[in-house]
Amino acid sequence: VQLQASGGGRVQPGGSLRLSCAASGIASDYYGLGWFRQAPGKETEGLSCLELRDGRTYYALSVKGRFTMSRDNAKNTVYLQMNNLTPEDTAVYYCGTLKDVRPCPQTSYDDWGQGTLVTVSS
């Protein structure tokens, strides 16, 4: 399995970014994909999950209503649209795979790739 997150950068508070995660080698019976983040000095935080079977999504309360996870099956890519960003959203963002059914959002993933840095600052 290979996962490559991209799309991070620097944005002002209130701004938006869309992260992408190109995935390959994922078996058809995997449960889902998800996003999580790691900020300096903070615990890893699960943000969202997407069930591969039906596209159902789940979000952490901290991002619900601001972040939207979606997928493009033709491109084997999932996205995380992030709106109304605040400095508290500054972190390295990762995407990961979930082989089996588990509660979402989640901080424990079976595979993950290099993250992409998001910095929210004026």
Side-chain angles (χ1 to χ4, degrees):
V1 175
Q2 289 189 325
L3 300 163
Q4 181 63 56
S6 62
R10 191 179 196 92
V11 64
Q12 291 187 340
S16 299
L17 280 175
R18 189 178 78 158
L19 305 183
S20 300
C21 175
S24 62
I26 296 177
S28 59
D29 61 350
Y30 272 43
Y31 168 63
L33 293 166
W35 289 94
F36 61 101
R37 66 187 178 188
Q38 179 70 59
K42 295 184 180 180
E43 294 185 355
T44 301
E45 181 182 13
L47 301 176
S48 65
C49 294
L50 183 146
E51 291 186 10
L52 294 177
R53 178 177 59 87
D54 59 10
R56 189 172 301 184
T57 53
Y58 304 89
Y59 299 94
L61 290 177
S62 61
V63 303
K64 193 171 186 179
R66 299 190 298 127
F67 291 10
T68 303
M69 186 173 181
S70 62
R71 64 178 172 178
D72 184 331
N73 290 333
K75 296 182 179 179
N76 292 323
T77 299
V78 293
Y79 303 97
L80 187 68
Q81 176 67 43
M82 308 187 296
N83 298 328
N84 195 22
L85 288 162
T86 74
E88 287 68 38
D89 295 314
T90 295
V92 178
Y93 286 69
Y94 302 85
C95 58
T97 65
L98 301 165
K99 292 183 180 178
D100 305 305
V101 175
R102 67 193 71 172
C104 277
Q106 179 61 247
T107 57
S108 176
Y109 288 86
D110 298 291
D111 312 280
W112 60 93
Q114 286 188 334
T116 186
L117 176 63
V118 172
T119 303
V120 185
S121 174
S122 55

